[in-house]
mmCIF file of all heavy atoms in Angstrom:
data_model
loop_
_atom_site.group_PDB
_atom_site.id
_atom_site.type_symbol
_atom_site.label_atom_id
_atom_site.label_comp_id
_atom_site.label_asym_id
_atom_site.label_seq_id
_atom_site.Cartn_x
_atom_site.Cartn_y
_atom_site.Cartn_z
ATOM 1 N N HIS A 196 -3.799 -2.940 27.256
ATOM 2 C CA HIS A 196 -2.676 -2.310 26.561
ATOM 3 C C HIS A 196 -1.907 -1.462 27.578
ATOM 4 O O HIS A 196 -2.525 -0.905 28.513
ATOM 5 C CB HIS A 196 -3.227 -1.463 25.414
ATOM 6 C CG HIS A 196 -2.147 -1.007 24.469
ATOM 7 N ND1 HIS A 196 -1.426 -1.895 23.717
ATOM 8 C CD2 HIS A 196 -1.669 0.235 24.191
ATOM 9 C CE1 HIS A 196 -0.546 -1.207 23.011
ATOM 10 N NE2 HIS A 196 -0.671 0.070 23.271
ATOM 11 N N PRO A 197 -0.589 -1.346 27.435
ATOM 12 C CA PRO A 197 0.193 -0.606 28.468
ATOM 13 C C PRO A 197 -0.188 0.865 28.600
ATOM 14 O O PRO A 197 0.123 1.496 29.603
ATOM 15 C CB PRO A 197 1.639 -0.744 27.978
ATOM 16 C CG PRO A 197 1.628 -1.807 26.939
ATOM 17 C CD PRO A 197 0.243 -1.962 26.424
ATOM 18 N N CYS A 198 -0.830 1.487 27.583
ATOM 19 C CA CYS A 198 -1.212 2.891 27.671
ATOM 20 C C CYS A 198 -2.606 3.057 27.066
ATOM 21 O O CYS A 198 -3.100 2.108 26.427
ATOM 22 C CB CYS A 198 -0.172 3.768 26.960
ATOM 23 S SG CYS A 198 -0.121 3.427 25.200
ATOM 24 N N PRO A 199 -3.247 4.190 27.203
ATOM 25 C CA PRO A 199 -4.607 4.338 26.635
ATOM 26 C C PRO A 199 -4.587 4.126 25.114
ATOM 27 O O PRO A 199 -3.791 4.759 24.414
ATOM 28 C CB PRO A 199 -4.995 5.789 26.992
ATOM 29 C CG PRO A 199 -4.160 6.126 28.161
ATOM 30 C CD PRO A 199 -2.854 5.406 27.980
ATOM 31 N N PRO A 200 -5.427 3.240 24.597
ATOM 32 C CA PRO A 200 -5.372 2.904 23.160
ATOM 33 C C PRO A 200 -6.132 3.924 22.304
ATOM 34 O O PRO A 200 -7.215 3.634 21.791
ATOM 35 C CB PRO A 200 -6.029 1.513 23.109
ATOM 36 C CG PRO A 200 -6.967 1.498 24.267
ATOM 37 C CD PRO A 200 -6.386 2.377 25.324
ATOM 38 N N TYR A 201 -5.565 5.143 22.178
ATOM 39 C CA TYR A 201 -6.245 6.179 21.379
ATOM 40 C C TYR A 201 -6.301 5.783 19.906
ATOM 41 O O TYR A 201 -7.273 6.073 19.224
ATOM 42 C CB TYR A 201 -5.511 7.525 21.530
ATOM 43 C CG TYR A 201 -5.919 8.256 22.787
ATOM 44 C CD1 TYR A 201 -5.159 8.177 23.957
ATOM 45 C CD2 TYR A 201 -7.093 8.999 22.808
ATOM 46 C CE1 TYR A 201 -5.559 8.821 25.111
ATOM 47 C CE2 TYR A 201 -7.498 9.652 23.969
ATOM 48 C CZ TYR A 201 -6.745 9.566 25.111
ATOM 49 O OH TYR A 201 -7.149 10.197 26.249
ATOM 50 N N ALA A 202 -5.229 5.135 19.417
ATOM 51 C CA ALA A 202 -5.200 4.694 18.007
ATOM 52 C C ALA A 202 -5.523 3.199 17.996
ATOM 53 O O ALA A 202 -4.675 2.370 18.319
ATOM 54 C CB ALA A 202 -3.831 4.952 17.419
ATOM 55 N N LEU A 203 -6.782 2.872 17.664
ATOM 56 C CA LEU A 203 -7.256 1.478 17.733
ATOM 57 C C LEU A 203 -7.782 1.075 16.359
ATOM 58 O O LEU A 203 -8.602 1.808 15.778
ATOM 59 C CB LEU A 203 -8.373 1.382 18.788
ATOM 60 C CG LEU A 203 -9.047 0.016 18.979
ATOM 61 C CD1 LEU A 203 -8.060 -0.990 19.540
ATOM 62 C CD2 LEU A 203 -10.227 0.149 19.949
ATOM 63 N N ALA A 204 -7.301 -0.058 15.826
ATOM 64 C CA ALA A 204 -7.737 -0.501 14.487
ATOM 65 C C ALA A 204 -7.977 -1.997 14.510
ATOM 66 O O ALA A 204 -7.202 -2.755 15.112
ATOM 67 C CB ALA A 204 -6.656 -0.159 13.468
ATOM 68 N N TRP A 205 -9.039 -2.443 13.886
ATOM 69 C CA TRP A 205 -9.399 -3.879 13.810
ATOM 70 C C TRP A 205 -9.342 -4.312 12.358
ATOM 71 O O TRP A 205 -10.238 -3.999 11.575
ATOM 72 C CB TRP A 205 -10.800 -4.086 14.398
ATOM 73 C CG TRP A 205 -11.186 -5.518 14.598
ATOM 74 C CD1 TRP A 205 -10.505 -6.617 14.206
ATOM 75 C CD2 TRP A 205 -12.363 -6.018 15.273
ATOM 76 N NE1 TRP A 205 -11.159 -7.756 14.586
ATOM 77 C CE2 TRP A 205 -12.305 -7.434 15.240
ATOM 78 C CE3 TRP A 205 -13.441 -5.413 15.888
ATOM 79 C CZ2 TRP A 205 -13.307 -8.240 15.786
ATOM 80 C CZ3 TRP A 205 -14.432 -6.209 16.443
ATOM 81 C CH2 TRP A 205 -14.364 -7.608 16.399
ATOM 82 N N GLY A 206 -8.233 -4.966 11.982
ATOM 83 C CA GLY A 206 -8.060 -5.422 10.591
ATOM 84 C C GLY A 206 -8.690 -6.793 10.385
ATOM 85 O O GLY A 206 -9.287 -7.378 11.285
ATOM 86 N N ALA A 207 -8.533 -7.287 9.174
ATOM 87 C CA ALA A 207 -9.132 -8.596 8.849
ATOM 88 C C ALA A 207 -8.406 -9.719 9.566
ATOM 89 O O ALA A 207 -8.972 -10.786 9.793
ATOM 90 C CB ALA A 207 -9.089 -8.816 7.348
#
Side-chain angles (χ1 to χ4, degrees):
H196 192 65
C198 65
Y201 278 97
L203 178 66
W205 190 353

